[in-house]
């Protein structure tokens, strides 16, 4: 018999049961559902809705179910629809009549919302820790590659020399913002919605502050209709995961390119690459390609929930059951991808001689002329002509002689040759946050402290 079948004269069709069930995926929330049951039980006792005896009985039953869940022996049944009903009917099997009292003053609408918030709070902390570990790996790799210079790119065209450590720390910044975004989302997830009932609140004087303190929520919701209808806390979470996926995808793309025969900037560890079943010469960066590819799953989850929520009337609607699979899928994808990316970063090696001279020092030459009193636009033009000349001569800028330079401007002095070196280009940078070794070292030192790295 179904918990809600009192008013029904016919049995639910088997196909309808299969269509409406959610136990096949919401069993992921089982632990949180039990935690919530314990908190609700305390509130029921405090409100004198149940006797101490029933309370003890239910508590004992819930503990048994918790053990069954932890040891993976719960027999989930789609006839019981969802995780909430499955647990309730197991409780009935175990303790009989008292089990029927646990759902007093509660609806599955506030129940599922509370479960989801408990789940997300846990997952945010897990993702936060994984992000921290990845940032630590990036910092360590930056220290390891402190002296290597690489061409920096804009438009995927060689632009200016930068330190490899500067490049690696750029991603540390991006992942730092992702961590901050998660913590910000956490603030709006960390709200107890239990006690909102189906939509109008509960007829029983449940102490919601007590429930919040048992479950570790720092605030309680203020409007029961909004509480059961709201899923934008989950949207924020999915957006934060999407941003992580986007950054993971961008660094993957970089490393896939850097690993090509054409670039040869990095060496990927064999342990994370795979071969080809037909071409014996291949060592493919499949892990990075999959991290990049899985970004679409995370984005889809965000869009999935956004579209689900659009135009839903106030308050709870069954459409909301569809929120779970995208959330679970995005969560697993991000956790796995972050773990994989850490392995890649820990194992990657940047080659020492990535930087090869060509035209990357043109801006330095122009700025040299500015220091000699020529307005920047004019200097830009003069150096443009030098670049055209170097291309004609098939020479890198570093190889131009002082005589060749003075043909374009008398302002080129004997010190002009000194600045045409990648190292000088890097250390000529004077702004905070630039690739100048001093500034990069400063960032490394700050990071060492921030991330507890010895
Ligand atoms: N399985 C449902 C969900 O995930 C639980 C809430 C059901 N509420 C209801 N009024 N049918 O949303």
């Amino acid at each position: 018999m179904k918990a809600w079948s009192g008013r029904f004269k016919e049995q639910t069709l088997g196909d309808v049961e299969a269509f409406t069930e959610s136990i096949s995926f919401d069993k992921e929330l089982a632990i949180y559902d039990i935690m919530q049951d314990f908190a609700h039980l305390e509130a029921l006792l405090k409100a004198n809705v149940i006797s101490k005896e029933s309370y003890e009985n239910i508590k004992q039953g819930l503990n048994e179910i918790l053990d069954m869940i932890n040891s993976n022996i719960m027999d989930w049944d789609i006839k019981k629809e969802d995780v909430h009903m499955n647990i309730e009917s197991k409780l009935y099997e175990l303790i009989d009549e008292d089990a029927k009292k646990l759902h007093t003053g509660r609806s599955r609408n506030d129940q599922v919302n509370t479960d989801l918030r408990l789940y997300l709070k846990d997952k945010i902390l897990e993702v936060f820790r994984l992000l921290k570990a990845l940032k630590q790996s990036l910092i360590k790799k930056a220290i390891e590659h402190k002296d290597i210079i690489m061409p920096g790119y804009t438009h995927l065209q060689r632009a200016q020399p930068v330190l490899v450590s500067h490049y690696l720390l750029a991603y540390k910044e991006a992942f730092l913002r992702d961590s901050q975004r998660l913590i910000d989302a956490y603030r709006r997830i960390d709200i107890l919605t239990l006690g909102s009932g189906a939509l109008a609140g509960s007829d029983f004087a449940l102490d919601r502050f007590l429930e919040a303190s048992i479950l570790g929520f720092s605030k309680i919701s203020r409007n029961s209709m909004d509480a059961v209808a709201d899923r934008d806390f989950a949207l924020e979470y999915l957006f934060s995961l999407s941003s992580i996926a986007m950054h993971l995808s961008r660094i993957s793309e970089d490393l896939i390119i850097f690993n090509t025969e054409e670039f040869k900037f990095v060496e990927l560890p064999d342990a994370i690459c795979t071969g080809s079943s037909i071409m014996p010469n291949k060592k493919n960066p499949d892990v990075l390609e999959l991290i990049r590819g899985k970004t679409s799953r995370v984005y889809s989850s965000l869009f999935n929930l956004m579209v689900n929520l659009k135009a839903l009337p106030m308050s709870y609607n069954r459409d909301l059951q569809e929120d779970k699979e995208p959330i679970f899928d995005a969560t697993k994808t991000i956790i796995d991808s972050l773990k994989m990316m850490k392995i890649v970063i820990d194992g990657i090696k940047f080659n020492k001689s990535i930087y090869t001279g060509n035209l990357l020092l043109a801006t330095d030459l122009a700025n040299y002329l500015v220091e000699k009193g020529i307005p920047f636009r004019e200097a830009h033009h003069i150096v443009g002509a030098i670049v055209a000349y170097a291309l004609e001569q098939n020479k890198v800028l570093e190889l131009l002689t002082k005589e060749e330079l003075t043909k374009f401007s008398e302002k080129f002095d004997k010190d002009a040759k000194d600045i045409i070196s990648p190292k000088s280009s890097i250390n000529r940078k004077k702004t905070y946050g630039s690739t100048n070794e001093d500034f990069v070292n400063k960032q490394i030192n700050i990071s060492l402290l921030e991330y507890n790295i010895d």
Side-chain angles (χ1 to χ4, degrees), residues 205-224:
L206 304 171
D207 183 345
R208 300 188 63 215
F209 290 102
L210 172 72
E211 292 173 335
S213 76
I214 295 172
L215 292 173
F217 284 105
S218 66
K219 291 179 279 305
I220 67 171
S221 56
R222 302 189 300 192
N223 181 303
S224 58

Side-chain angles (χ1 to χ4, degrees), residues 22 26 81-82 84 107-109 112 231 316-318 320-324:
S22 56
D26 67 11
E81 207 173 304
D82 57 25
H84 325 291
S107 154
R108 280 182 296 158
N109 300 352
V112 72
R231 290 294 183 279
Y316 175 86
N317 298 273
R318 191 64 177 270
L320 293 175
Q321 178 167 293
E322 289 289 309
D323 63 355
K324 285 162 211 65

Side-chain angles (χ1 to χ4, degrees), residues 96-109:
D96 217 29
E97 289 302 299
D98 274 337
K100 293 181 177 168
K101 300 175 183 163
L102 180 60
H103 205 56
T104 318
R106 181 175 68 173
S107 154
R108 280 182 296 158
N109 300 352

